[in-house]
Amino acid sequence: MAGRIRDEDIAAVRERSPIDEVVGEYLQLRSAGGGSLKGLCPFHEEKTPSFNVTPARGLYYCFSCAAGGDAIKFVQKIDGLSFVEAVERLAGRAGIELRYEQGGYVPGQEQSQRRRLIDAHRAAADFYAERMGDSEAAPARAFLAERGFELADVQRFGVGYSPKAWEDLTRHLRGRGFTDGELIAAGLAREGHRGTRDRFRGRLMWPIRDLSGDVIAFGARTLDPDDGPKYLNTPETSLFRKSTVLYGADLAKREIAQRRQAVIVEGYTDVMACHLAGVPTAVATCGTSFGEDHIKVLRRLIMDTEGSAGEVIFTFDGDAAGQRAALRAFGLEEKFVTQTFVTVQPDGLDPCDVRLTHGDAAVRDLVARRVPLFEFAIKGVLGHHDLNTTEGQLAALDEAAPIVARIKDQGLRTRYAVNLDRWLGLMDERFVLARVRGHAGDTSQQSPARRRPGQDRGRQNRGEQPGPFGTNGDAQPYNLKDPVVEVEREVLKLAVQRPTLCGPEFDALGAEAFTVPVHGAVFTLIAACGGTAASGGSAREWVVRLREAAPNDRAQAFITQLAVEPLRRHDEPDVSYADIELAKVGELAVSREIAVVKSRLQRMNPVEEQAGYNRLFGDLMTLEKRRRALLDRAAGG
């Protein structure tokens, strides 16, 4: 069993894993002001970004689903890893050599299973790439050369060759310390009648990488028409789920984010051809149809939000299969906020053949000739009918109207109904609209995804937020629009984000100064960590200390939320700002004390209880004086 990673090494991994860079490998981030970044949350569906990243404190937090933490937690959650696996992954990224201790440490077994499988894939990719120079790989080199790819192109994409021998790769990886069980678990080998054998033999090999650049699978094309299926992919493993992986996304992700564009092609050579021709946003599925999980990946990379000007472009063959693929894509269109397009080469060539036959410019022109997916799907149906006859027009209308009716946006559906009338040549918009409405039925209302963008943020839009110790630690709604909640929360954010500005005054407030129970709980947690006076000079280390001291995951999540949420002051807060906010909380607390004292005075008889009454009245005068002083400070006086 692997030993325990040393605490100082874990701290080094945190320090050398910038949260914006780690998160940025999975989704596009944009400035949210105040040193924070924002993007679409990768952990739930949303149309309006609520996922915040604060590089200064090394934390992320989603203000909709309440997911939050540091870089280690992010990698754990998004890749389904254990804590140790996430630390090892980030350590490899940062070039940190981890040291292990205790827990039954056995030299040579210090890495997690996932890390071992990743390393096996990396070694396999190197092995296949090296075999491309062998005489046996001449057909593989010829195949690529015939499609316009040079040696530098092959090396750029890491394309390799798997020898025909039964166990060349298996022997090679055994020599590097990998077990047969690990090779089978990785999908690199299989158990045969004569023992462990290579899964891929005599094939062109494309390494498939995740968004961070790790090789997690291979796509393999046969060079012998009689040797099994034309394409063979790594089977589903703990590393590789083909429904969530897009080939080329590791290379395309930055261009996709910058251009707000993704081009979906059908094969590995098509991705290569597009990138080499100047379309670096091309990606492809890995042996499966384009589906909802692929959409989630693209939406995060494009930052597909309400009002965005992004575009997703599908390339299909012009044949019947391409039409069917377009209709499948049409069924997924509503999952996007951004507009979807289709482009088809008139002569039916795929992007790789377009580049080979017509050159790089023709590939770029292919993308530029895109048409809206709705238009492509409708016109594809119209092409099956003779529109020069009344019978053909009506038959085409009956087949096209259900497609138009599937358009969820009511305004867009009406416009396409008008276009359909024009394309049919009927010149009777009312008649066509009636047919479309008849097919729409109860779908005339927009779907939840389009009708309520950011629906999952409804509580936040009403000013409510999930609390840390339950719903919010008490039975009362946690309403961000409540002025008292707003003031108390701001002071807590200062204590977490800028503790050196708070001085001893915050520590002297006491938990009773906060009306919301969870706020009092956070104050108690800060006090247990020595108060803001014990925060030291590093805001990042202070937040780590608070998160580690939190009594449970919900409390830890709330601390993360306070650390990530921007302060109300847009420019850099100073001592004066902190003093004003602290005075506001103090004034509210004193006002509540005054109300209690006044209530007690009203219940007393000033004649019969003169001594007690006078003493309490003196307390009231003192509190009133203190309140006036706090009001002056709160006003910036």
Side-chain angles (χ1 to χ4, degrees), residues 334 401-402 404-414 433-448 450-451:
E334 67 178 49
V404 179
R406 288 167 58 188
I407 299 175
K408 302 302 181 182
D409 185 291
Q410 188 172 357
L412 194 61
R413 185 169 66 243
T414 300
L433 281 166
R435 287 291 182 102
V436 169
R437 291 188 182 114
H439 284 286
D442 61 3
T443 65
S444 60
Q445 298 298 319
Q446 295 178 18
S447 69
R450 292 278 172 106
R451 183 174 65 249

PDB file of all heavy atoms in Angstrom, residues 334 401-402 404-414 433-448 450-451:
ATOM      1  N   GLU A 334     -30.765  22.415 -28.703  1.00  0.00           N
ATOM      2  CA  GLU A 334     -31.289  23.243 -27.622  1.00  0.00           C
ATOM      3  C   GLU A 334     -30.395  23.205 -26.380  1.00  0.00           C
ATOM      4  O   GLU A 334     -30.569  24.020 -25.469  1.00  0.00           O
ATOM      5  CB  GLU A 334     -32.703  22.805 -27.251  1.00  0.00           C
ATOM      6  CG  GLU A 334     -32.768  21.431 -26.616  1.00  0.00           C
ATOM      7  CD  GLU A 334     -34.185  21.046 -26.228  1.00  0.00           C
ATOM      8  OE1 GLU A 334     -35.100  21.184 -27.074  1.00  0.00           O
ATOM      9  OE2 GLU A 334     -34.368  20.618 -25.095  1.00  0.00           O
ATOM     10  N   ALA A 401     -42.600  20.637 -41.432  1.00  0.00           N
ATOM     11  CA  ALA A 401     -43.267  21.348 -40.336  1.00  0.00           C
ATOM     12  C   ALA A 401     -42.910  20.771 -38.968  1.00  0.00           C
ATOM     13  O   ALA A 401     -42.677  21.541 -38.013  1.00  0.00           O
ATOM     14  CB  ALA A 401     -44.782  21.342 -40.546  1.00  0.00           C
ATOM     15  N   PRO A 402     -42.840  19.439 -38.783  1.00  0.00           N
ATOM     16  CA  PRO A 402     -42.448  18.922 -37.466  1.00  0.00           C
ATOM     17  C   PRO A 402     -41.040  19.340 -37.048  1.00  0.00           C
ATOM     18  O   PRO A 402     -40.770  19.520 -35.860  1.00  0.00           O
ATOM     19  CB  PRO A 402     -42.540  17.400 -37.636  1.00  0.00           C
ATOM     20  CG  PRO A 402     -43.491  17.204 -38.778  1.00  0.00           C
ATOM     21  CD  PRO A 402     -43.243  18.357 -39.694  1.00  0.00           C
ATOM     22  N   VAL A 404     -39.542  22.240 -37.928  1.00  0.00           N
ATOM     23  CA  VAL A 404     -39.650  23.638 -37.498  1.00  0.00           C
ATOM     24  C   VAL A 404     -40.308  23.711 -36.117  1.00  0.00           C
ATOM     25  O   VAL A 404     -39.913  24.508 -35.259  1.00  0.00           O
ATOM     26  CB  VAL A 404     -40.448  24.464 -38.522  1.00  0.00           C
ATOM     27  CG1 VAL A 404     -40.585  25.906 -38.051  1.00  0.00           C
ATOM     28  CG2 VAL A 404     -39.789  24.413 -39.890  1.00  0.00           C
ATOM     29  N   ALA A 405     -41.285  22.839 -35.884  1.00  0.00           N
ATOM     30  CA  ALA A 405     -41.997  22.854 -34.605  1.00  0.00           C
ATOM     31  C   ALA A 405     -41.094  22.482 -33.441  1.00  0.00           C
ATOM     32  O   ALA A 405     -41.380  22.827 -32.290  1.00  0.00           O
ATOM     33  CB  ALA A 405     -43.184  21.887 -34.666  1.00  0.00           C
ATOM     34  N   ARG A 406     -39.992  21.789 -33.717  1.00  0.00           N
ATOM     35  CA  ARG A 406     -39.060  21.386 -32.659  1.00  0.00           C
ATOM     36  C   ARG A 406     -38.153  22.525 -32.216  1.00  0.00           C
ATOM     37  O   ARG A 406     -37.423  22.396 -31.228  1.00  0.00           O
ATOM     38  CB  ARG A 406     -38.212  20.205 -33.135  1.00  0.00           C
ATOM     39  CG  ARG A 406     -38.986  18.906 -33.218  1.00  0.00           C
ATOM     40  CD  ARG A 406     -38.220  17.845 -33.974  1.00  0.00           C
ATOM     41  NE  ARG A 406     -36.920  17.566 -33.369  1.00  0.00           N
ATOM     42  CZ  ARG A 406     -35.991  16.787 -33.930  1.00  0.00           C
ATOM     43  NH1 ARG A 406     -36.229  16.225 -35.109  1.00  0.00           N
ATOM     44  NH2 ARG A 406     -34.840  16.575 -33.335  1.00  0.00           N
ATOM     45  N   ILE A 407     -38.163  23.633 -32.959  1.00  0.00           N
ATOM     46  CA  ILE A 407     -37.356  24.783 -32.556  1.00  0.00           C
ATOM     47  C   ILE A 407     -37.986  25.369 -31.292  1.00  0.00           C
ATOM     48  O   ILE A 407     -39.140  25.787 -31.299  1.00  0.00           O
ATOM     49  CB  ILE A 407     -37.292  25.837 -33.678  1.00  0.00           C
ATOM     50  CG1 ILE A 407     -36.652  25.224 -34.934  1.00  0.00           C
ATOM     51  CG2 ILE A 407     -36.505  27.059 -33.211  1.00  0.00           C
ATOM     52  CD1 ILE A 407     -36.656  26.158 -36.133  1.00  0.00           C
ATOM     53  N   LYS A 408     -37.219  25.402 -30.209  1.00  0.00           N
ATOM     54  CA  LYS A 408     -37.798  25.753 -28.912  1.00  0.00           C
ATOM     55  C   LYS A 408     -38.047  27.242 -28.755  1.00  0.00           C
ATOM     56  O   LYS A 408     -38.989  27.646 -28.081  1.00  0.00           O
ATOM     57  CB  LYS A 408     -36.873  25.257 -27.792  1.00  0.00           C
ATOM     58  CG  LYS A 408     -36.614  23.763 -27.819  1.00  0.00           C
ATOM     59  CD  LYS A 408     -37.908  22.975 -27.723  1.00  0.00           C
ATOM     60  CE  LYS A 408     -37.660  21.476 -27.735  1.00  0.00           C
ATOM     61  NZ  LYS A 408     -38.900  20.699 -27.690  1.00  0.00           N
ATOM     62  N   ASP A 409     -37.207  28.058 -29.344  1.00  0.00           N
ATOM     63  CA  ASP A 409     -37.385  29.500 -29.244  1.00  0.00           C
ATOM     64  C   ASP A 409     -38.563  29.903 -30.140  1.00  0.00           C
ATOM     65  O   ASP A 409     -38.518  29.745 -31.357  1.00  0.00           O
ATOM     66  CB  ASP A 409     -36.104  30.213 -29.668  1.00  0.00           C
ATOM     67  CG  ASP A 409     -36.182  31.709 -29.468  1.00  0.00           C
ATOM     68  OD1 ASP A 409     -36.954  32.363 -30.189  1.00  0.00           O
ATOM     69  OD2 ASP A 409     -35.459  32.223 -28.592  1.00  0.00           O
ATOM     70  N   GLN A 410     -39.606  30.454 -29.531  1.00  0.00           N
ATOM     71  CA  GLN A 410     -40.836  30.725 -30.270  1.00  0.00           C
ATOM     72  C   GLN A 410     -40.618  31.741 -31.392  1.00  0.00           C
ATOM     73  O   GLN A 410     -41.135  31.588 -32.499  1.00  0.00           O
ATOM     74  CB  GLN A 410     -41.917  31.214 -29.317  1.00  0.00           C
ATOM     75  CG  GLN A 410     -43.290  31.342 -29.959  1.00  0.00           C
ATOM     76  CD  GLN A 410     -44.371  31.644 -28.937  1.00  0.00           C
ATOM     77  OE1 GLN A 410     -44.101  31.712 -27.751  1.00  0.00           O
ATOM     78  NE2 GLN A 410     -45.593  31.822 -29.403  1.00  0.00           N
ATOM     79  N   GLY A 411     -39.840  32.800 -31.102  1.00  0.00           N
ATOM     80  CA  GLY A 411     -39.592  33.800 -32.135  1.00  0.00           C
ATOM     81  C   GLY A 411     -38.816  33.224 -33.303  1.00  0.00           C
ATOM     82  O   GLY A 411     -39.132  33.483 -34.478  1.00  0.00           O
ATOM     83  N   LEU A 412     -37.811  32.409 -32.990  1.00  0.00           N
ATOM     84  CA  LEU A 412     -37.009  31.792 -34.048  1.00  0.00           C
ATOM     85  C   LEU A 412     -37.850  30.800 -34.837  1.00  0.00           C
ATOM     86  O   LEU A 412     -37.718  30.686 -36.060  1.00  0.00           O
ATOM     87  CB  LEU A 412     -35.802  31.095 -33.418  1.00  0.00           C
ATOM     88  CG  LEU A 412     -34.669  30.684 -34.363  1.00  0.00           C
ATOM     89  CD1 LEU A 412     -34.076  31.900 -35.056  1.00  0.00           C
ATOM     90  CD2 LEU A 412     -33.585  29.943 -33.581  1.00  0.00           C
ATOM     91  N   ARG A 413     -38.737  30.093 -34.146  1.00  0.00           N
ATOM     92  CA  ARG A 413     -39.606  29.134 -34.831  1.00  0.00           C
ATOM     93  C   ARG A 413     -40.517  29.857 -35.836  1.00  0.00           C
ATOM     94  O   ARG A 413     -40.702  29.387 -36.968  1.00  0.00           O
ATOM     95  CB  ARG A 413     -40.444  28.375 -33.804  1.00  0.00           C
ATOM     96  CG  ARG A 413     -41.277  27.271 -34.435  1.00  0.00           C
ATOM     97  CD  ARG A 413     -41.893  26.354 -33.388  1.00  0.00           C
ATOM     98  NE  ARG A 413     -42.878  27.020 -32.569  1.00  0.00           N
ATOM     99  CZ  ARG A 413     -42.774  27.200 -31.256  1.00  0.00           C
ATOM    100  NH1 ARG A 413     -41.706  26.788 -30.616  1.00  0.00           N
ATOM    101  NH2 ARG A 413     -43.738  27.805 -30.581  1.00  0.00           N
ATOM    102  N   THR A 414     -41.039  31.001 -35.450  1.00  0.00           N
ATOM    103  CA  THR A 414     -41.902  31.763 -36.366  1.00  0.00           C
ATOM    104  C   THR A 414     -41.135  32.213 -37.594  1.00  0.00           C
ATOM    105  O   THR A 414     -41.627  32.129 -38.726  1.00  0.00           O
ATOM    106  CB  THR A 414     -42.505  32.976 -35.637  1.00  0.00           C
ATOM    107  OG1 THR A 414     -43.286  32.517 -34.537  1.00  0.00           O
ATOM    108  CG2 THR A 414     -43.373  33.791 -36.572  1.00  0.00           C
ATOM    109  N   LEU A 433     -47.713  28.641 -41.032  1.00  0.00           N
ATOM    110  CA  LEU A 433     -47.636  28.833 -39.582  1.00  0.00           C
ATOM    111  C   LEU A 433     -48.645  27.952 -38.857  1.00  0.00           C
ATOM    112  O   LEU A 433     -48.352  27.392 -37.791  1.00  0.00           O
ATOM    113  CB  LEU A 433     -47.885  30.308 -39.238  1.00  0.00           C
ATOM    114  CG  LEU A 433     -46.693  31.250 -39.444  1.00  0.00           C
ATOM    115  CD1 LEU A 433     -47.153  32.701 -39.402  1.00  0.00           C
ATOM    116  CD2 LEU A 433     -45.638  31.002 -38.366  1.00  0.00           C
ATOM    117  N   ALA A 434     -49.821  27.801 -39.430  1.00  0.00           N
ATOM    118  CA  ALA A 434     -50.842  26.959 -38.804  1.00  0.00           C
ATOM    119  C   ALA A 434     -50.379  25.510 -38.761  1.00  0.00           C
ATOM    120  O   ALA A 434     -50.581  24.808 -37.756  1.00  0.00           O
ATOM    121  CB  ALA A 434     -52.164  27.074 -39.564  1.00  0.00           C
ATOM    122  N   ARG A 435     -49.759  25.034 -39.854  1.00  0.00           N
ATOM    123  CA  ARG A 435     -49.257  23.662 -39.887  1.00  0.00           C
ATOM    124  C   ARG A 435     -48.151  23.482 -38.827  1.00  0.00           C
ATOM    125  O   ARG A 435     -48.121  22.466 -38.128  1.00  0.00           O
ATOM    126  CB  ARG A 435     -48.698  23.332 -41.270  1.00  0.00           C
ATOM    127  CG  ARG A 435     -49.732  23.141 -42.345  1.00  0.00           C
ATOM    128  CD  ARG A 435     -50.548  21.858 -42.132  1.00  0.00           C
ATOM    129  NE  ARG A 435     -51.513  21.649 -43.189  1.00  0.00           N
ATOM    130  CZ  ARG A 435     -51.367  20.788 -44.202  1.00  0.00           C
ATOM    131  NH1 ARG A 435     -50.272  20.058 -44.276  1.00  0.00           N
ATOM    132  NH2 ARG A 435     -52.300  20.662 -45.115  1.00  0.00           N
ATOM    133  N   VAL A 436     -47.274  24.448 -38.731  1.00  0.00           N
ATOM    134  CA  VAL A 436     -46.172  24.354 -37.769  1.00  0.00           C
ATOM    135  C   VAL A 436     -46.713  24.344 -36.344  1.00  0.00           C
ATOM    136  O   VAL A 436     -46.305  23.541 -35.500  1.00  0.00           O
ATOM    137  CB  VAL A 436     -45.184  25.515 -37.964  1.00  0.00           C
ATOM    138  CG1 VAL A 436     -44.197  25.578 -36.799  1.00  0.00           C
ATOM    139  CG2 VAL A 436     -44.440  25.351 -39.283  1.00  0.00           C
ATOM    140  N   ARG A 437     -47.687  25.248 -36.060  1.00  0.00           N
ATOM    141  CA  ARG A 437     -48.258  25.312 -34.713  1.00  0.00           C
ATOM    142  C   ARG A 437     -48.985  24.015 -34.372  1.00  0.00           C
ATOM    143  O   ARG A 437     -48.984  23.560 -33.228  1.00  0.00           O
ATOM    144  CB  ARG A 437     -49.203  26.501 -34.596  1.00  0.00           C
ATOM    145  CG  ARG A 437     -48.501  27.849 -34.642  1.00  0.00           C
ATOM    146  CD  ARG A 437     -49.459  28.980 -34.322  1.00  0.00           C
ATOM    147  NE  ARG A 437     -48.791  30.275 -34.409  1.00  0.00           N
ATOM    148  CZ  ARG A 437     -49.068  31.200 -35.307  1.00  0.00           C
ATOM    149  NH1 ARG A 437     -50.029  30.997 -36.201  1.00  0.00           N
ATOM    150  NH2 ARG A 437     -48.414  32.350 -35.328  1.00  0.00           N
ATOM    151  N   GLY A 438     -49.593  23.430 -35.366  1.00  0.00           N
ATOM    152  CA  GLY A 438     -50.286  22.171 -35.131  1.00  0.00           C
ATOM    153  C   GLY A 438     -49.330  21.073 -34.705  1.00  0.00           C
ATOM    154  O   GLY A 438     -49.648  20.249 -33.843  1.00  0.00           O
ATOM    155  N   HIS A 439     -48.151  21.056 -35.294  1.00  0.00           N
ATOM    156  CA  HIS A 439     -47.147  20.062 -34.916  1.00  0.00           C
ATOM    157  C   HIS A 439     -46.459  20.420 -33.605  1.00  0.00           C
ATOM    158  O   HIS A 439     -46.004  19.532 -32.879  1.00  0.00           O
ATOM    159  CB  HIS A 439     -46.093  19.931 -36.019  1.00  0.00           C
ATOM    160  CG  HIS A 439     -46.562  19.160 -37.210  1.00  0.00           C
ATOM    161  ND1 HIS A 439     -46.704  17.789 -37.208  1.00  0.00           N
ATOM    162  CD2 HIS A 439     -46.938  19.574 -38.454  1.00  0.00           C
ATOM    163  CE1 HIS A 439     -47.143  17.391 -38.401  1.00  0.00           C
ATOM    164  NE2 HIS A 439     -47.289  18.451 -39.174  1.00  0.00           N
ATOM    165  N   ALA A 440     -46.407  21.727 -33.296  1.00  0.00           N
ATOM    166  CA  ALA A 440     -45.730  22.143 -32.069  1.00  0.00           C
ATOM    167  C   ALA A 440     -46.500  21.690 -30.841  1.00  0.00           C
ATOM    168  O   ALA A 440     -45.916  21.305 -29.827  1.00  0.00           O
ATOM    169  CB  ALA A 440     -45.539  23.669 -32.042  1.00  0.00           C
ATOM    170  N   GLY A 441     -47.838  21.706 -30.916  1.00  0.00           N
ATOM    171  CA  GLY A 441     -48.646  21.271 -29.786  1.00  0.00           C
ATOM    172  C   GLY A 441     -48.278  22.022 -28.533  1.00  0.00           C
ATOM    173  O   GLY A 441     -48.182  23.245 -28.507  1.00  0.00           O
ATOM    174  N   ASP A 442     -48.020  21.280 -27.439  1.00  0.00           N
ATOM    175  CA  ASP A 442     -47.701  21.938 -26.180  1.00  0.00           C
ATOM    176  C   ASP A 442     -46.252  22.364 -26.088  1.00  0.00           C
ATOM    177  O   ASP A 442     -45.805  22.786 -25.045  1.00  0.00           O
ATOM    178  CB  ASP A 442     -48.064  21.042 -24.987  1.00  0.00           C
ATOM    179  CG  ASP A 442     -47.303  19.727 -25.003  1.00  0.00           C
ATOM    180  OD1 ASP A 442     -46.451  19.542 -25.902  1.00  0.00           O
ATOM    181  OD2 ASP A 442     -47.570  18.890 -24.135  1.00  0.00           O
ATOM    182  N   THR A 443     -45.499  22.235 -27.193  1.00  0.00           N
ATOM    183  CA  THR A 443     -44.125  22.720 -27.176  1.00  0.00           C
ATOM    184  C   THR A 443     -44.048  24.184 -27.554  1.00  0.00           C
ATOM    185  O   THR A 443     -42.971  24.721 -27.774  1.00  0.00           O
ATOM    186  CB  THR A 443     -43.250  21.922 -28.163  1.00  0.00           C
ATOM    187  OG1 THR A 443     -43.711  22.157 -29.504  1.00  0.00           O
ATOM    188  CG2 THR A 443     -43.291  20.437 -27.854  1.00  0.00           C
ATOM    189  N   SER A 444     -45.197  24.854 -27.643  1.00  0.00           N
ATOM    190  CA  SER A 444     -45.175  26.266 -28.013  1.00  0.00           C
ATOM    191  C   SER A 444     -44.486  27.125 -26.983  1.00  0.00           C
ATOM    192  O   SER A 444     -44.052  28.215 -27.268  1.00  0.00           O
ATOM    193  CB  SER A 444     -46.611  26.777 -28.220  1.00  0.00           C
ATOM    194  OG  SER A 444     -47.347  26.625 -27.023  1.00  0.00           O
ATOM    195  N   GLN A 445     -44.428  26.605 -25.769  1.00  0.00           N
ATOM    196  CA  GLN A 445     -43.655  27.322 -24.755  1.00  0.00           C
ATOM    197  C   GLN A 445     -42.215  26.893 -24.852  1.00  0.00           C
ATOM    198  O   GLN A 445     -41.911  25.753 -25.201  1.00  0.00           O
ATOM    199  CB  GLN A 445     -44.200  27.003 -23.353  1.00  0.00           C
ATOM    200  CG  GLN A 445     -45.639  27.451 -23.160  1.00  0.00           C
ATOM    201  CD  GLN A 445     -45.779  28.940 -23.295  1.00  0.00           C
ATOM    202  OE1 GLN A 445     -44.946  29.701 -22.804  1.00  0.00           O
ATOM    203  NE2 GLN A 445     -46.817  29.389 -23.978  1.00  0.00           N
ATOM    204  N   GLN A 446     -41.339  27.772 -24.547  1.00  0.00           N
ATOM    205  CA  GLN A 446     -39.926  27.456 -24.635  1.00  0.00           C
ATOM    206  C   GLN A 446     -39.564  26.414 -23.597  1.00  0.00           C
ATOM    207  O   GLN A 446     -40.171  26.318 -22.543  1.00  0.00           O
ATOM    208  CB  GLN A 446     -39.076  28.712 -24.420  1.00  0.00           C
ATOM    209  CG  GLN A 446     -39.283  29.730 -25.515  1.00  0.00           C
ATOM    210  CD  GLN A 446     -38.474  30.964 -25.254  1.00  0.00           C
ATOM    211  OE1 GLN A 446     -37.536  30.944 -24.478  1.00  0.00           O
ATOM    212  NE2 GLN A 446     -38.833  32.045 -25.894  1.00  0.00           N
ATOM    213  N   SER A 447     -38.570  25.605 -23.933  1.00  0.00           N
ATOM    214  CA  SER A 447     -38.127  24.567 -23.023  1.00  0.00           C
ATOM    215  C   SER A 447     -37.528  25.182 -21.775  1.00  0.00           C
ATOM    216  O   SER A 447     -37.117  26.339 -21.786  1.00  0.00           O
ATOM    217  CB  SER A 447     -37.056  23.705 -23.701  1.00  0.00           C
ATOM    218  OG  SER A 447     -35.884  24.456 -23.867  1.00  0.00           O
ATOM    219  N   PRO A 448     -37.448  24.426 -20.682  1.00  0.00           N
ATOM    220  CA  PRO A 448     -36.864  24.977 -19.452  1.00  0.00           C
ATOM    221  C   PRO A 448     -35.477  25.546 -19.673  1.00  0.00           C
ATOM    222  O   PRO A 448     -35.131  26.569 -19.119  1.00  0.00           O
ATOM    223  CB  PRO A 448     -36.844  23.773 -18.507  1.00  0.00           C
ATOM    224  CG  PRO A 448     -37.971  22.900 -18.989  1.00  0.00           C
ATOM    225  CD  PRO A 448     -37.989  23.079 -20.477  1.00  0.00           C
ATOM    226  N   ARG A 450     -34.265  26.977 -22.300  1.00  0.00           N
ATOM    227  CA  ARG A 450     -34.279  28.267 -22.975  1.00  0.00           C
ATOM    228  C   ARG A 450     -35.169  29.274 -22.249  1.00  0.00           C
ATOM    229  O   ARG A 450     -34.971  30.460 -22.331  1.00  0.00           O
ATOM    230  CB  ARG A 450     -34.790  28.092 -24.408  1.00  0.00           C
ATOM    231  CG  ARG A 450     -33.829  27.305 -25.289  1.00  0.00           C
ATOM    232  CD  ARG A 450     -32.722  28.199 -25.811  1.00  0.00           C
ATOM    233  NE  ARG A 450     -31.715  27.426 -26.480  1.00  0.00           N
ATOM    234  CZ  ARG A 450     -31.554  27.391 -27.799  1.00  0.00           C
ATOM    235  NH1 ARG A 450     -32.324  28.095 -28.570  1.00  0.00           N
ATOM    236  NH2 ARG A 450     -30.602  26.664 -28.323  1.00  0.00           N
ATOM    237  N   ARG A 451     -36.208  28.761 -21.563  1.00  0.00           N
ATOM    238  CA  ARG A 451     -37.154  29.675 -20.937  1.00  0.00           C
ATOM    239  C   ARG A 451     -36.572  30.297 -19.679  1.00  0.00           C
ATOM    240  O   ARG A 451     -36.846  31.434 -19.357  1.00  0.00           O
ATOM    241  CB  ARG A 451     -38.437  28.896 -20.593  1.00  0.00           C
ATOM    242  CG  ARG A 451     -39.527  29.773 -19.999  1.00  0.00           C
ATOM    243  CD  ARG A 451     -40.812  29.011 -19.805  1.00  0.00           C
ATOM    244  NE  ARG A 451     -40.727  27.948 -18.838  1.00  0.00           N
ATOM    245  CZ  ARG A 451     -40.780  26.666 -19.148  1.00  0.00           C
ATOM    246  NH1 ARG A 451     -40.890  26.287 -20.410  1.00  0.00           N
ATOM    247  NH2 ARG A 451     -40.698  25.739 -18.216  1.00  0.00           N
TER     248      ARG A 451
END
